Amino acid sequence: MRLELGNIFIKDLQFGEATKVENGVLYVNKKELLEAVSGDNRLVSIEVDIAKPGEETRIMPVKDVIEPRVKVEGPGGIFPGFINKVDVVGSGKTHVLKGAAVVTAGKIVGFQEGIIDMTGPGADYTPFSKTNNLVLVCTPIDHLPQHEHEQAVRMVGLKAAAYIGEAGRNVKPDEVKTYETLPLLEGIKKYPDLPRVAYVYMLQTQGLLHDTYVYGVDAKRIVPTLIYPTEVMDGAILSGNCVSACDKNPTYNHLNNPIIEDLYERHGKDYNFVGVIITNENVTLADKERSSNWSAKLAEYLGLDAVIVSEEGFGNPDTDLMMNCKKISAKGIKTVLVTDEYAGRDGASQSLADADKSADAVVTAGNANEVIELPAMKKVIGDLKPADIIAGGFAGSLRPDGSIVAELQVITGATSEIGFNKLSATQY
């Protein structure tokens, strides 16, 4: 499967009379945007604002971050199963508004939602301080069940990203990158002497607002399976969860999975990137055993020499991570794990809830318990009050002057296993 990504670099974001891209500036017609995302009677109002890099702006509580993309050639459309019909994506041509993002925020859904600071110390920990953000603040009707609230806001974000992505349909990209994965036997024939490597992609599926979607299906309902890496780049995998902001993989991270991108960089040179095994994270022991058995079985079936395994979340999913590692390693396949840590504020506690001696190559995205002080910002998009109750916050986190003292886990994407700053990652 072969996909061309045409990156259109967005240097600025402004409201305008027409939604378009011109000289690197993304203009958005606010009225048309609101018409495109409105219509859900579960939401009382949707407000739109803009947050740019370097501004003294805080966005909270953040639900999801989505990169605008549009399918310009090939089967299917962006975000299949939600915005477009279910069809296999990942081939043809897709245009990307690189440097722009849609952020959904508003009244808190669950307690595990995050903060994006566009400047200051908090900005150093989130990749979304560097994007031009179109923020949609959604207010639900009273007493709306949490799962419906999450669903309503999720669809607003996806509709907005699809609407804005259309602005790039007829724009000549500033950069074109090509990604290709051959069918298994063809790939082996083409690269007979290169080690075969795959990516085991653990998706957050613990339920209770901890959901991830694959082609519109809640991934709790799948068994581990194979997909082409390029399918992810066309929105086949979407976030629908409220796991701790620091290690949540927003939809933006799925679309821009750095592990997939790095594997492609060395594909055909140092190894043969065979593809992606997607698996879920379960709450019962039997389901954990079943899914890890399938992941190991697929790795063996593909004749792999090595895998990279990433985890989303922490605590309970640490067991899924170790089961995958242990069982795949037992097949004689080398494993490298990517995870964050919860090692206590002093860094002296056990980092993971589970461990195994086979986990001898681990990349850490950082300690989410580290305490950080976020200074007050001149502008707040959303609401500061949840600072005391979101994961990583505590009574007194929000100070009278608007500053916040909390654990690093309050920051969206701070230690995300597939969205962390690669320069800060360490291997031990």
Side-chain angles (χ1 to χ4, degrees), residues 161-333:
Y163 166 78
I164 294 169
E166 283 290 337
R169 179 177 291 277
N170 297 313
V171 177
K172 183 180 179 180
D174 299 298
E175 172 189 72
V176 176
K177 290 190 173 183
T178 302
Y179 301 92
E180 184 174 20
T181 298
L182 296 173
L184 182 61
L185 294 181
E186 290 182 32
I188 293 174
K189 184 178 180 180
K190 185 172 182 178
Y191 307 113
D193 300 322
L194 294 180
R196 292 183 293 280
V197 178
Y199 172 35
V200 178
Y201 197 170
M202 291 175 55
L203 306 177
Q204 176 59 248
T205 55
Q206 293 178 284
L208 299 175
L209 303 178
H210 290 58
D211 303 310
T212 304
Y213 295 88
V214 180
Y215 282 99
V217 174
D218 188 334
K220 287 194 300 295
R221 296 165 54 191
I222 72 168
V223 292
T225 189
L226 296 169
I227 64 172
Y228 282 97
T230 53
E231 292 178 72
V232 183
M233 297 173 173
D234 267 351
I237 297 177
L238 304 178
S239 175
N241 72 65
C242 299
V243 71
S244 289
C246 68
D247 58 5
K248 169 180 176 173
N249 294 326
T251 298
Y252 187 104
N253 289 7
H254 291 299
L255 291 165
N256 293 278
N257 188 312
I259 294 175
I260 290 176
E261 291 177 357
D262 285 357
L263 284 167
Y264 265 127
E265 284 293 322
R266 297 172 63 182
H267 175 55
K269 304 170 186 175
D270 301 310
Y271 43 68
N272 178 6
F273 180 23
V274 172
V276 175
I277 299 170
I278 55 172
T279 185
N280 43 27
E281 299 171 353
N282 299 284
V283 293
T284 69
L285 180 59
D287 288 331
K288 289 177 184 292
E289 294 283 10
R290 182 181 300 109
S291 288
S292 56
N293 285 343
W294 275 63
S295 295
K297 178 178 65 175
L298 287 170
E300 181 183 40
Y301 180 74
L302 294 172
L304 299 177
D305 296 296
V307 299
I308 295 175
V309 188
S310 70
E311 173 191 12
E312 182 174 16
F314 67 99
N316 188 297
D318 292 349
T319 299
D320 301 81
L321 179 70
M322 290 302 158
M323 284 185 174
N324 283 320
C325 176
K326 182 178 180 179
K327 293 176 182 179
I328 293 172
S329 295
K331 302 288 187 182
I333 301 168

Side-chain angles (χ1 to χ4, degrees), residues 14 17 53 57 102 109 118 125-126 154 172 204 270 293 341 386 401 406 411 417:
Q14 301 177 20
E17 294 182 0
T57 301
V102 170
V109 177
M118 301 306 293
Y125 288 94
T126 174
R154 174 169 19 106
K172 183 180 179 180
Q204 176 59 248
D270 301 310
N293 285 343
E341 303 177 73
D401 65 353
I411 298 178
E417 292 85 342

Side-chain angles (χ1 to χ4, degrees), residues 49-52 54-62 103 105 114-123 133 135 137 372-385 387 390 397-399 401-405 410-411:
D49 209 332
I50 289 174
K52 302 179 185 181
E55 294 181 339
E56 290 191 49
T57 301
R58 173 165 295 147
I59 310 167
M60 71 174 290
V62 173
V103 178
I115 298 171
I116 296 174
D117 279 356
M118 301 306 293
T119 191
N133 299 321
V135 187
V137 180
I372 187 171
E373 182 171 348
L374 306 174
M377 295 286 160
K378 291 181 179 179
K379 179 179 179 180
V380 175
I381 303 176
D383 185 10
L384 287 176
K385 292 191 292 293
I390 58 176
S397 281
L398 178 60
R399 293 173 169 175
D401 65 353
S403 62
I404 296 171
V405 177
V410 302
I411 298 178

